Amino acid sequence: MRSSTGGVGAWIRYGNPLEPGELDFAIAHYRAAILQPWETEAAARLKEARPDMTVLAYRCLSSTRDFEPDSMRASGLSYREARRRGWLAKRDNGDLVEWSTYPGHFQARVWDPGYRRRWVEEVCQATADTAFDGIMADNDVFDDYYGLNLPLEDIADTAALRAELNIFVDQVGAGLNGVGKILIPNVAEARRE
């Protein structure tokens, strides 16, 4: 199916494998699609049928997930790599910081220049040669939405975390632009202001 017209909404994909007919429905009804980053064939099909559709890969800026296999990972970096390199956030007592509302999601040290550099490198490399127009970077947190209970090691409060995420988002955008892709950040809970 090839179309140059379509709806006005956005399709955000989470979870289960694609069902028969979902792509055809999206082609006919949506102007944008956010897919999981491993759904590269679906992204290619959408762009083939609808070159005008913005197709983004979902990526989490702020967490690594201990349950994600490397081949199907929404986090920018794997839990194993982040842990091995010391890029998981810790409390002052040394405990890792698991999100209270999302079990298995661990806060990454988004303030660490090494983490940010490696995240940008990994995500740009994974996205560059795909049909994705870029990424939707989720969890650029506005507040303590995930029960981090600040302070953490090296981060005193939400203002400090926000400042670091602002730097990170700029770095991600520059990296993606450098490989011909775009960034759309999702600032969780920013609707409140």
Side-chain angles (χ1 to χ4, degrees), residues 42-53:
R45 181 156 172 236
L46 290 174
K47 290 303 286 186
E48 169 68 24
R50 289 281 308 283
D52 64 316
M53 181 184 281

Side-chain angles (χ1 to χ4, degrees), residues 1-2 13 16 20 24 49 74 79 81 94 106 117 131 144-146 150 159 166 175 185 193:
M1 170 188 260
R2 185 169 180 79
R13 280 227 359 102
N16 299 327
D24 290 334
Y79 173 83
E81 179 178 359
F106 290 84
R117 193 170 30 258
D144 191 4
Y145 182 66
Y146 299 112
L150 299 157
N166 286 340
E193 186 171 277

